[in-house]
Amino acid sequence: MKNLGQLLLQEEPFSEIVIGNTAIVRAMIESGVRVVTSYPGSPTPEIAETINLLPKEKSPLYFEFSTNEKVALEVAFGAAVNGYTSCVFFKSVGMNVVADSFVQLSMMEIPGGMVVVIGDDPGANSSQNEQDNRHYARLSYTPLFEPKDAQEVYSMFIEAVKYAREFKSPVILRLTTHTAHFKQKVKFGIYKQTELTPHRFDPKNLGPYIPIGQNVPVMKRRALEKLRKWEEVSEKYAYILNNGSEIGIITAGLPYLSLLDVLGDNKNKVDILRLGMVYPFPRKAIVKFLRSHKVIKILEELDDFIEEKVKAIAFEEGINVKIVGKQDMEDWIGEYTPEKVFKVMSKFIPELVREIKVPEYRVRSISRPPQLCPGCGHRPVFYVLSKILREYDISVADIGCHTLGFLEPYNVGQVLLSMGHSTGTASGLSLFNTERKIVAFLGDSTFFHAGIPGIINAVFNRHNFTLVVMENGTTAMTGHQDHPGKAMKIRNILEAIGVKQIWEVDTYQQDKLEEILKTALSTPEFNVVIAKHPCMLKFTRERRRKGIVKVPQMKVTNACTLARVCISKFACPSFQIADDGSIFVHEDLCIGDGSCIPVCPSGALELEKFEVGGDTK
């Protein structure tokens, strides 16, 4: 079996089947990146997983998970401004977190060069929106590469580093969910180990680095001058498929591959201009393409980012060409998979596109709603709250596994904005509110990421609500990454902030949990319940690594009265209904945690014995 960590560090060129997120790590190694930072979030966490496979004694990369995306960006900037090439990566909505610092970067001289890898999420596969981060490139005068597949993820990252160093600039490499996970055989180059770049933070000769009134015009002019250089670079990444057609299509990234799929054998009947850099735009290539066609279709995911600029260029150049962009609301929504591109292009050239037949297994009706894992420590919290909250009370959700409390049968968590919003939103909901109880939720990773300022605000302004910190000891939703809670106690931080009323309880102790939550909700001041239990998915995986070959199993005894609380109220997916209407425990799902035992009104649940390495326990 291949050792991927060792393989990615070999000096000779090689080819390997990998996803884009893996290919980018080899690109970091080959291009001399020294510092890599991140806050975990889909679709980019496999980058970190791959970095962690590298043998520590041989890896040229310093890597850290920072407390949030903004801090990660600032650590990477600090390294790069000190001469070390750096990379920071995060998911789409992480761009909102970094924005306050990010928009300054293009005005700075960054001698090490810096690559910002964004994992955008058309289709909102694992995000709360479909935001199009290309707009941040234009907002901040930052160039943006957009690869179409794993091979280009690798090659464009190397090119991005090269130009970032040359221009002493930041540069964005924009992945989408499909390019991050695009799997193909990638050809890698030579890796030559080099010495670390000497320290050279030089504010005297490379500054100013202080964006205040008198400096901003100088710094902004420098950013705009660099942008002109980047525009010349963008011309090199304008790829034209020329068949001498009167019909032209301008596209970028993964939609290009979907376009080729739906055109099939008709791809020689249209001309295609694919933009490898979508900001700044390759004006010369676009003008030439517009002049040589009678009608142009702009094919792009999400917003009309390319469309607006192409239409502006046509107007400014006085080019008489019909430009067709997005034609209805649906063109703005969702991933541009082949199925989607067929629908978009059939409104433009129906005679040239073919419908992509979706394999039967992809359209078969399968009912599998999102749900908490078997044994999840969050489940008892939602189960208890669903019993004690009144219909008109208010519960505020936050980002994390616990967001799923919103779903049936718990119906806990009625509003959601972003990571860490819950304390601020709950504070606002508590104003002039004398009858309705307010409870907000916050994961332990989110507590450190963005939750603390809202808590300070609640203490300082004396807001009245209950905050439940869901502490499971890991960043569970994105792959069990560590967070600062490993080194410091949440209770100690809350006490230092000035929170007076704090309770801690293991969520499996349901009677105590219920008592504490009732007390907290009746307390007329801001208070915090730390609801603790380890992530059981992480726990069971670690247990298997230790050689525990059989997990304990819950058993439904003859005492069962078919009240079905285990299914309808507690909703552990391990409980199933047999054809005869009886309840049984699915042995592939049950982890034997026993958290369900207190919920059964007939006392029909008991824990069977299990084996550890052959010994009965």
Side-chain angles (χ1 to χ4, degrees):
M1 186 173 180
K2 294 177 180 177
N3 184 318
L4 185 58
Q6 295 283 5
L7 188 65
L8 290 172
L9 287 174
Q10 75 175 40
E11 296 184 353
E12 301 80 15
F14 67 99
S15 298
E16 186 60 46
I17 298 174
V18 295
I19 62 172
N21 282 341
T22 301
I24 209 169
V25 176
R26 173 67 181 194
M28 292 177 186
I29 293 167
E30 288 185 27
S31 58
V33 170
R34 289 293 176 264
V35 174
V36 186
T37 61
S38 179
Y39 182 82
S42 296
T44 62
E46 294 87 358
I47 300 175
E49 291 173 13
T50 304
I51 292 173
N52 287 330
L53 291 176
L54 303 175
K56 284 188 169 55
E57 68 279 4
K58 295 181 180 179
S59 174
L61 306 176
Y62 166 83
F63 173 68
E64 72 171 50
F65 278 123
S66 304
T67 50
N68 64 28
E69 295 89 347
K70 181 173 181 287
V71 174
L73 178 102
E74 290 156 355
V75 172
F77 165 70
V81 83
N82 198 29
Y84 298 100
T85 303
S86 70
C87 173
V88 58
F89 63 91
F90 41 77
K91 69 177 294 174
S92 56
V93 291
M95 199 67 197
N96 305 325
V97 182
V98 309
D100 202 22
S101 291
F102 174 77
V103 295
Q104 319 298 336
L105 295 183
S106 65
M107 299 195 298
M108 310 285 183
E109 289 284 271
I110 305 176
M114 180 176 175
V115 181
V116 180
V117 177
I118 304 172
D120 269 9
D121 194 13
N125 300 278
S126 57
S127 307
Q128 62 265 45
N129 63 39
E130 288 190 305
Q131 75 181 53
D132 190 333
N133 280 312
R134 295 178 297 175
H135 295 291
Y136 273 108
R138 181 163 53 194
L139 172 69
S140 62
Y141 312 122
T142 306
L144 187 149
F145 284 87
E146 184 154 344
K148 72 180 189 308
D149 55 28
Q151 182 68 58
E152 279 198 352
V153 170
Y154 160 77
S155 60
M156 283 189 175
F157 185 92
I158 290 176
E159 291 293 291
V161 168
K162 181 182 78 172
Y163 287 112
R165 284 180 181 144
E166 181 180 339
F167 298 153
K168 297 182 176 62
S169 296
V171 57
I172 300 169
L173 183 72
R174 179 180 182 254
L175 311 182
T176 58
T177 301
H178 268 79
T179 48
H181 298 145
F182 196 108
K183 180 176 280 190
Q184 71 180 134
K185 194 167 190 176
V186 177
K187 294 180 179 178
F188 297 114
I190 297 172
Y191 164 42
K192 292 183 178 179
Q193 298 186 44
T194 56
E195 294 296 321
L196 292 176
T197 308
H199 292 213
R200 54 181 181 185
F201 177 53
D202 188 0
K204 182 177 181 180
N205 294 308
L206 294 178
Y209 287 109
I210 307 296
I212 58 175
Q214 64 188 36
N215 291 340
V216 166
V218 175
M219 299 172 77
K220 183 175 181 179
R221 191 171 294 111
R222 183 166 62 190
L224 293 171
E225 288 170 352
K226 288 183 182 180
L227 203 58
R228 289 185 179 178
K229 296 179 182 178
W230 279 110
E231 188 169 322
E232 291 302 312
V233 173
S234 72
E235 300 290 345
K236 302 175 184 178
Y237 294 92
Y239 308 102
I240 297 178
L241 181 64
N242 192 345
N243 295 303
S245 173
E246 294 181 343
I247 301 171
I249 302 170
I250 300 178
T251 188
L254 195 72
Y256 168 74
L257 297 181
S258 295
L259 174 63
L260 296 184
D261 275 353
V262 300
L263 287 172
D265 295 337
N266 289 326
K267 59 177 170 286
N268 61 349
K269 296 181 180 179
V270 297
D271 293 349
I272 303 173
L273 169 60
R274 179 173 71 89
L275 306 182
M277 284 188 71
V278 298
Y279 188 80
F281 292 89
R283 187 182 185 94
K284 295 174 185 176
I286 291 173
V287 168
K288 182 178 179 181
F289 197 74
L290 292 176
R291 290 192 190 281
S292 58
H293 296 88
K294 289 186 176 180
V295 59
I296 295 286
K297 170 66 178 175
I298 312 296
L299 181 71
E300 59 181 325
E301 281 179 318
L302 302 182
D303 297 345
D304 53 350
F305 185 81
I306 297 173
E307 178 184 338
E308 283 187 349
K309 185 63 177 179
V310 170
K311 286 179 175 177
I313 290 173
F315 174 80
E316 291 162 1
E317 298 289 337
I319 302 172
N320 185 21
V321 58
K322 181 180 180 181
I323 299 174
V324 180
K326 296 185 181 293
Q327 295 177 267
D328 59 46
M329 188 183 298
E330 291 305 309
D331 289 357
W332 295 70
I333 301 170
E335 294 177 280
Y336 271 42
T337 59
E339 301 95 311
K340 175 78 173 185
V341 169
F342 168 76
K343 293 177 183 178
V344 173
M345 295 303 294
S346 62
K347 291 177 283 189
F348 176 62
I349 45 173
E351 70 282 1
L352 295 183
V353 294
R354 56 175 187 150
E355 186 170 6
I356 303 297
K357 297 295 183 182
V358 181
E360 184 181 350
Y361 71 86
R362 291 183 60 184
V363 296
R364 188 180 300 146
S365 178
I366 298 175
S367 178
R368 189 183 183 279
Q371 56 191 320
L372 298 170
C373 299
C376 178
H378 300 337
R379 181 176 283 107
V381 177
F382 295 133
Y383 171 69
V384 169
L385 282 171
S386 67
K387 291 195 303 180
I388 65 178
L389 287 176
R390 299 164 298 183
E391 186 176 353
Y392 53 85
D393 290 333
I394 301 172
S395 51
V396 184
D398 214 294
I399 300 293
C401 299
H402 50 87
T403 308
L404 296 175
F406 164 73
L407 301 174
E408 295 284 353
Y410 317 112
N411 302 309
V412 176
Q414 300 155 314
V415 58
L416 174 66
L417 290 177
S418 61
M419 289 189 74
H421 91 101
S422 59
T423 49
T425 299
S427 294
L429 284 163
S430 70
L431 297 173
F432 314 112
N433 196 339
T434 57
E435 295 183 2
R436 304 171 76 180
K437 297 184 185 301
I438 312 280
V439 58
F441 301 93
L442 196 63
D444 48 352
S445 182
T446 307
F447 174 88
F448 293 103
H449 175 283
I452 295 173
I455 296 172
I456 293 173
N457 182 75
V459 173
F460 176 67
N461 287 302
R462 300 180 182 178
H463 293 294
N464 179 16
F465 65 94
T466 295
L467 173 66
V468 180
V469 178
M470 312 285 265
E471 184 178 356
N472 61 12
T474 187
T475 311
M477 190 170 69
T478 54
H480 302 127
Q481 296 87 359
D482 285 339
H483 60 62
K486 194 173 182 179
M488 57 196 76
K489 292 185 179 299
I490 290 175
R491 184 185 187 106
N492 292 347
I493 295 172
L494 291 171
E495 289 174 343
I497 287 172
V499 180
K500 302 299 184 187
Q501 298 286 346
I502 304 170
W503 295 268
E504 290 185 79
V505 59
D506 188 307
T507 63
Y508 277 21
Q509 298 177 309
Q510 288 186 37
D511 290 343
K512 184 177 180 182
L513 173 66
E514 183 169 346
E515 178 187 345
I516 286 174
L517 286 171
K518 284 180 178 178
T519 303
L521 288 166
S522 301
T523 300
E525 64 177 310
F526 175 67
N527 60 84
V528 179
V529 176
I530 304 173
K532 306 170 70 169
H533 199 80
C535 172
M536 294 306 288
L537 179 61
K538 183 173 185 286
F539 176 78
T540 53
R541 286 176 177 174
E542 290 173 348
R543 186 163 58 179
R544 291 189 190 103
R545 293 191 198 106
K546 294 176 181 177
I548 299 179
V549 296
K550 187 177 180 181
V551 300
Q553 292 282 296
M554 296 306 305
K555 179 183 178 181
V556 181
T557 69
N558 293 332
C560 178
T561 59
L562 295 179
R564 296 187 178 180
V565 173
C566 56
I567 292 175
S568 62
K569 300 294 185 182
F570 194 64
C572 177
S574 302
F575 292 101
Q576 308 278 314
I577 302 176
D579 292 339
D580 63 0
S582 63
I583 307 298
F584 71 97
V585 176
H586 197 298
E587 63 179 17
D588 291 335
L589 296 176
C590 182
I591 65 170
D593 55 280
S595 62
C596 53
I597 292 176
V599 310
C600 181
S602 53
L605 300 177
E606 64 180 37
L607 195 60
E608 291 186 317
K609 295 179 180 181
F610 67 102
E611 297 176 358
V612 182
D615 295 328
T616 302
K617 298 291 181 182

